[in-house]
């Protein structure tokens, strides 16, 4: 069997598995947990489910966004209610999972950038969980956190899902990638 046939066979198997209701539930659960503890982005799972069910790409994006922001609210709550103990808990975890220095940097960033930092964390590949916990730890208000997270996560997941949905049309992919780059560059420029 050639390598191409093996890859094609795996691709078809993954799409078949990603097209089930169970895969959709796992996507939402993973999206929520990724916003609190899991260090792996949810984007590949979102792409697989959108490729398997392209007509439902808006529903999958919306559900993924809500689940992610719900997980972010849990992270915000951890930072807000257990802020004094966060650093003690982080000391118990391995450095690559805890990222204690990342929390310290983000905490000081909230004093200067606030809402832009939440948007940057929600939209960019930066660890959203660090932003969420630090927002609660830094006393950032919950309602602006939720609204900014909905916009940032929604834009990110919508662009990723739209690229997956329109994977056969290079014009759409180039347009969406350009939009993604411009939004990311705009946030970087605003936070300088």
């Amino acid at each position: 069997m050639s390598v191409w046939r093996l890859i094609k066979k795996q691709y078809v198997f993954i799409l078949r598995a990603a097209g089930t209701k169970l895969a959709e539930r796992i996507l939402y659960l993973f999206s929520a947990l990724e916003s609190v503890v899991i260090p792996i982005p949810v984007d590949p799972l979102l792409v697989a489910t959108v490729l398997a069910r392209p007509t439902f790409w808006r529903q999958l994006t919306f559900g993924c966004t809500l689940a992610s922001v719900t997980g972010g609210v849990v992270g915000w709550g951890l930072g807000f209610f257990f802020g004094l103990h966060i650093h003690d808990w982080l000391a118990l975890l391995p450095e690559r999972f805890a990222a204690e220095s990342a929390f310290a940097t983000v905490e000081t960033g909230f004093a200067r950038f606030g809402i832009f930092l939440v948007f940057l964390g929600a939209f960019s590949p930066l660890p959203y969980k660090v932003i969420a916990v630090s927002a609660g730890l830094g006393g950032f208000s919950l309602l602006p956190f939720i609204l900014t997270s909905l916009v940032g996560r929604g834009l990110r997941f919508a662009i990723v899902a739209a690229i997956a949905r329109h994977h056969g049309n290079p014009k759409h992919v180039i347009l969406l990638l350009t939009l993604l780059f411009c939004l990311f560059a705009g946030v970087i420029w605003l936070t300088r």
Side-chain angles (χ1 to χ4, degrees):
M1 181 183 286
S2 71
V3 174
W4 174 249
R5 283 189 178 160
L6 179 64
I7 291 172
K8 182 73 171 169
K9 191 175 184 179
Q10 294 301 315
Y11 177 79
V12 169
F13 172 76
I14 289 171
L15 283 186
R16 195 174 310 128
T20 64
K21 278 292 193 184
L22 178 61
E24 186 177 339
R25 290 185 194 115
I26 290 172
L27 168 70
Y28 300 151
L29 177 65
F30 192 86
S31 182
L33 291 176
E34 182 258 340
S35 297
V36 182
V37 291
I38 297 176
I40 302 166
V42 72
D43 301 41
L45 189 53
L46 176 61
V47 168
T49 55
V50 168
L51 286 174
R53 299 171 60 200
T55 56
F56 294 101
W57 74 277
R58 288 182 188 94
Q59 175 188 340
L60 293 167
T61 300
F62 183 72
C64 193
T65 301
L66 284 182
S68 182
V69 173
T70 301
V73 169
V74 170
W76 181 92
L78 288 173
F80 187 78
F81 294 111
F82 300 107
L84 299 174
H85 307 291
I86 290 287
H87 293 290
D88 296 335
W89 294 341
L90 290 176
L92 299 174
L93 295 173
E95 176 61 31
R96 67 179 206 172
F97 290 119
E100 195 167 353
S101 60
F103 277 99
T105 304
V106 171
E107 283 178 51
T108 58
F110 269 104
R112 288 187 61 202
F113 303 118
I115 201 163
F116 293 115
L117 195 56
V118 172
F119 181 78
L120 184 65
F123 181 72
S124 73
L126 294 174
Y128 178 60
K129 67 190 100 343
V130 172
I131 299 293
V133 172
S134 296
L137 197 60
F140 193 78
S141 297
L142 181 59
L143 185 60
F145 172 79
I146 291 171
L147 295 176
T148 306
S149 294
L150 282 170
V151 170
R153 293 309 257 186
L155 277 173
R156 175 182 172 174
F157 293 146
I159 290 171
V160 168
I163 288 172
R165 165 69 174 92
H166 299 291
H167 69 284
N169 189 336
K171 290 179 185 175
H172 286 120
V173 173
I174 290 170
L175 176 69
L176 290 168
L177 286 174
T178 303
L179 177 65
L180 179 66
F181 176 76
C182 289
L183 284 171
F184 186 69
V187 169
I188 296 292
W189 179 75
L190 287 172
T191 59
R192 285 186 19 191

